[in-house]
Amino acid sequence: MSRPKDADSAQTYERIVAAARSRLEERGIDALTMRLVARDAQVSTGTLTYYFEDRDALLEACFSEVYRALTRVANDCLARLGQEPAIDIAERGTKEIWAIARQHRELARARLLSNMQRGTISVARMRRNLLPALDYAEKIFPHLAPAQARLGVHSLTLTVLRYAVASEEELALLGLGDGPEGATARIGDHLASLTRAVFEVDDRA
Amino acid sequence: MSDRRKTLVAHARSLLSEGGPSAITFRALAARAELSVATVSRTFDGVPALLEACLDETYEELIESLYTAIESVDHLPPRDRILSLLAHTLGFARARPEIAHLRYLITAESGLPSRRIETLGPLLDRIASAAGVPPKRVLEARLVGHTLSILIVRYVLHPSDELNEITGEDSLDSVTEHLTRVALRLYGDIR
């Protein structure tokens, strides 16, 4: 495909992704159409499709910044290994990831929706984003059976993603009606307990 | 629920189990039920209302079966009650993956509906009580119950090849073991 007149590489790319993210976070996944993003980014639809083949490709670009933030958290956690107990690092990491997910809840919703509509997680995406974290978990928590360490990370991921899209009404049911910030903090504490539950060998019941 | 509504919901659930949510159209349902499309559309406002009716019916079955299960384990110690209720819920969800898929899809689209939220609170509280959680920790117990239900429903949705990549082994047992560990630990933390 030849390069459209208003395509000037990195700048245009960034402008489009910024427009898409802002549309997604302010108005939700239904408002993310190629036509409206092109309008917001002040590019032609031809330019938009030059950079992004379809809405899914645009969505992946929106997710990439969040993935970068999540990778930073994971790398910080790995860098602290050996300096403090692994479980404390994991607990703090979960809370940081929860804060990122809640801050980008419309992106989380889009991710969840796209997984559910497809009925499966894309294998390529799973290998890129999920499986390396599961491999690390096996090494970091050697006292657990490998499958249990891997499932620990996966359960945390699933739970964070699901609570990120919780409505105000759902939070109120859970007794978390003390404003969005209070609810976010309470769920963060719960996720910290969940982190210990998945990685420690002690059922207490 | 009227007989016609019940019949249509039963046919819709069978379509769902065969082809997932995208298999549900009024035309397909009318053909399956040997009725006209007009009759189907007089019974349900649209496909979303029909899908909600499928979820409502399954949810009522779940609630009824769980309350029965709770009564039947009343004589056991809390730990065994937790294990039994977890196994019951897992079995229920694993027998209905298409409903689990629908539940997650609609939650992602529009959140949990109010009428389900109204019945979920008392159910989670009853489970917490069966798990031996004291009333003063009821809010923490609601989060625990809700998290477990989220995980149970979500794990049911993983195709086996996906699950094998995740666990590194070919076994549903590791998921059951994982959920059991998590349930015992989380409820144990607040007892």
Side-chain angles (χ1 to χ4, degrees):
Chain A
M1 183 178 179
S2 66
R3 187 175 169 132
K5 274 189 296 189
D6 55 351
D8 54 4
S9 68
Q11 256 186 333
T12 308
Y13 179 95
E14 291 302 333
R15 195 161 80 241
I16 292 170
V17 175
R21 283 193 54 201
S22 138
R23 175 159 279 282
L24 192 59
E25 296 198 351
E26 285 164 22
R27 303 186 187 195
I29 180 75
D30 291 340
L32 191 77
T33 67
M34 295 292 271
R35 189 177 59 80
L36 290 172
V37 171
R39 190 194 68 185
D40 292 354
Q42 298 180 315
V43 297
S44 66
T45 49
T47 299
L48 181 57
T49 47
Y50 172 76
Y51 288 99
F52 301 99
E53 188 182 12
D54 54 21
R55 195 177 82 143
D56 277 353
L58 190 52
L59 256 180
E60 286 304 322
C62 292
F63 293 135
S64 62
E65 190 177 322
V66 176
Y67 285 135
R68 279 197 292 276
L70 297 176
T71 304
R72 273 197 298 277
V73 172
N75 287 338
D76 286 351
C77 288
L78 292 174
R80 289 200 299 272
L81 278 176
Q83 297 166 29
E84 53 184 308
I87 189 68
D88 293 347
I89 297 171
E91 189 183 306
R92 211 165 45 243
T94 300
K95 282 191 160 189
E96 286 170 19
I97 285 171
W98 163 239
I100 292 170
R102 192 67 183 159
Q103 186 190 344
H104 299 284
R105 54 193 294 190
E106 285 306 326
L107 277 169
R109 184 187 310 285
R111 176 81 293 158
L112 198 55
L113 201 52
S114 127
N115 288 348
M116 288 301 123
Q117 284 167 341
R118 199 181 286 143
T120 172
I121 306 174
S122 124
V123 172
R125 186 155 46 75
M126 188 157 77
R127 291 195 173 140
R128 191 173 60 239
N129 300 324
L130 178 63
L131 297 184
L134 306 189
D135 294 341
Y136 274 122
E138 266 189 67
K139 291 181 194 131
I140 295 169
F141 299 104
H143 59 285
L144 289 173
Q148 294 302 308
R150 298 173 74 84
L151 285 168
V153 174
H154 191 50
S155 285
L156 287 168
T157 309
L158 295 176
T159 313
V160 163
L161 192 57
R162 175 59 183 79
Y163 277 122
V165 306
S167 63
E168 298 294 321
E169 208 174 2
E170 188 178 339
L171 296 177
L173 154 84
L174 297 165
L176 306 174
D178 44 350
E181 284 178 19
T184 299
R186 293 273 301 271
I187 294 178
D189 291 341
H190 171 66
L191 292 169
S193 302
L194 181 62
T195 307
R196 291 192 175 271
V198 298
F199 293 132
E200 287 182 339
V201 183
D202 170 12
D203 68 28
R204 300 192 182 189
Chain B
M1 200 189 284
S2 74
D3 284 349
R4 169 154 297 157
R5 221 177 139 81
K6 268 188 187 168
T7 308
L8 286 173
V9 167
H11 284 302
R13 284 177 64 176
S14 121
L15 282 173
L16 261 179
S17 64
E18 291 162 21
S22 60
I24 302 284
T25 64
F26 274 8
R27 186 180 295 273
L29 182 58
R32 176 65 59 97
E34 298 182 350
L35 292 169
S36 68
V37 173
T39 304
V40 175
S41 59
R42 271 198 303 275
T43 313
F44 293 100
D45 281 343
V47 170
L50 171 63
L51 293 176
E52 279 296 344
C54 293
L55 282 179
D56 282 348
E57 190 182 73
T58 317
Y59 192 66
E60 280 163 23
E61 288 167 13
L62 171 65
I63 288 191
E64 200 180 321
S65 75
L66 261 175
Y67 278 124
T68 306
I70 290 168
E71 279 173 27
S72 74
V73 296
D74 208 31
H75 61 290
L76 298 175
R79 181 190 166 95
D80 292 341
R81 290 187 218 151
I82 295 169
L83 293 176
S84 175
L85 295 178
L86 178 71
H88 179 87
T89 315
L90 255 176
F92 187 96
R94 281 178 177 158
R96 298 162 181 80
E98 72 285 357
I99 295 289
H101 184 191
L102 188 58
R103 167 73 283 143
Y104 237 87
L105 182 64
I106 294 183
T107 301
E109 277 171 354
S110 50
L112 282 180
S114 309
R115 63 188 181 288
R116 193 143 310 114
I117 285 176
E118 283 160 18
T119 51
L120 185 58
L123 177 65
L124 293 177
D125 294 350
R126 184 70 188 85
I127 293 171
S129 162
V133 176
K136 65 179 180 188
R137 307 201 75 169
V138 68
L139 291 183
E140 290 160 275
R142 279 192 179 189
L143 265 173
V144 169
H146 201 41
T147 291
L148 289 170
S149 70
I150 286 169
L151 289 175
I152 288 169
V153 171
R154 185 61 186 86
Y155 273 113
V156 163
L157 301 180
H158 278 303
S160 56
D161 56 339
E162 217 168 84
L163 209 51
N164 294 345
E165 291 260 12
I166 290 163
T167 61
E169 58 186 56
D170 181 11
S171 171
L172 265 187
D173 290 348
S174 56
V175 172
T176 307
E177 182 190 339
H178 171 71
L179 293 173
T180 303
R181 283 180 50 238
V182 171
L184 289 174
R185 169 65 188 258
L186 286 178
Y187 278 123
D189 274 348
I190 55 175
R191 274 176 50 212

